[in-house]
Amino acid sequence: MTVFAYCRVSTVEQSSMLQEEAILKAYPEAVVRHEKKSGTTKAGRDVLNSMLAKLNTGDKLVVWKLDRLARNMSDLLEIVDFI
């Protein structure tokens, strides 16, 4: 089982370090990936799409807050269905 952690900020001026620190405190073994993209479009989130493609049965995907993963409930349900 692998724990994947997805950290996203919307602009290059922002830092995802707070997200990473919180996730690693709970999951020190997590494989952390960062992305600097707006959440308004899932198509442009290459890091997220790459992580989702690598998930296997039993793996975990963790995020600091759900709004870092999905922009709304419809987007979240689409991601969950993909997994």
Side-chain angles (χ1 to χ4, degrees), residues 71-83:
R71 64 186 182 273
N72 55 42
M73 185 60 100
S74 174
D75 189 31
L76 179 60
L77 291 173
E78 185 180 322
I79 292 169
V80 170
D81 280 345
F82 178 80
I83 297 171

Side-chain angles (χ1 to χ4, degrees), residues 8-68:
R8 184 185 60 78
V9 292
S10 299
T11 67
V12 294
E13 294 85 20
Q14 296 173 316
S15 171
S16 57
M17 293 312 297
L18 178 65
Q19 295 175 45
E20 180 178 354
E21 290 171 4
I23 290 170
L24 288 177
K25 189 172 186 180
Y27 298 96
E29 74 282 13
V31 176
V32 181
R33 296 291 180 258
H34 298 262
E35 188 151 56
K36 293 190 180 209
K37 289 275 185 168
S38 171
T40 59
T41 173
K42 192 178 83 168
R45 293 185 277 167
D46 298 331
V47 173
L48 174 60
N49 293 332
S50 175
M51 283 183 100
L52 293 175
K54 291 179 183 176
L55 288 175
N56 294 310
T57 302
D59 289 346
K60 289 184 181 182
L61 174 62
V62 295
V63 292
W64 182 54
K65 291 172 44 178
L66 283 177
D67 70 348
R68 301 295 83 204

